Amino acid sequence: MSLKASSSTFGALVAASVLATSLASSVAAETIPESPDPIRLGVADWSGQHITTYVAGFVLEDMGYNVEYVTTAILPSATALADGNLSA
């Protein structure tokens, strides 16, 4: 993939993230979290996954949920998901 293509892909991702966050924020005032327990999101060890995890976390926080970010690698995160130690 060329640098120009990856740059435009990143720009599209950022634009979609901003749109999703703004849409979720408009709904956030009407929603009440079902639990005070934090939603634990696994942050794997590559940058592309960091972006999507934090965007999802920001949307959940705007909706009133408590979010906890857990640094993990891909294989341990699969085990943590299976054991119920991570939400996503």
Side-chain angles (χ1 to χ4, degrees):
M1 179 183 288
S2 72
L3 182 57
K4 184 174 183 172
S6 63
S7 172
S8 64
T9 302
F10 179 75
L13 176 63
V14 170
S17 300
V18 169
L19 176 62
T21 302
S22 65
L23 289 175
S25 295
S26 65
V27 175
E30 301 171 9
T31 61
I32 299 173
E34 298 144 10
S35 171
D37 297 334
I39 296 174
R40 295 175 50 108
L41 300 178
V43 181
D45 52 357
W46 66 89
S47 60
Q49 199 271 335
H50 285 206
I51 295 167
T52 56
T53 300
Y54 281 100
V55 167
F58 294 150
V59 170
L60 290 167
E61 288 170 347
D62 282 346
M63 295 173 67
Y65 290 93
N66 296 319
V67 176
E68 181 180 338
Y69 300 96
V70 180
T71 302
T72 185
I74 192 65
L75 291 177
S77 67
T79 303
L81 283 167
D83 293 341
N85 294 324
L86 284 179
S87 304

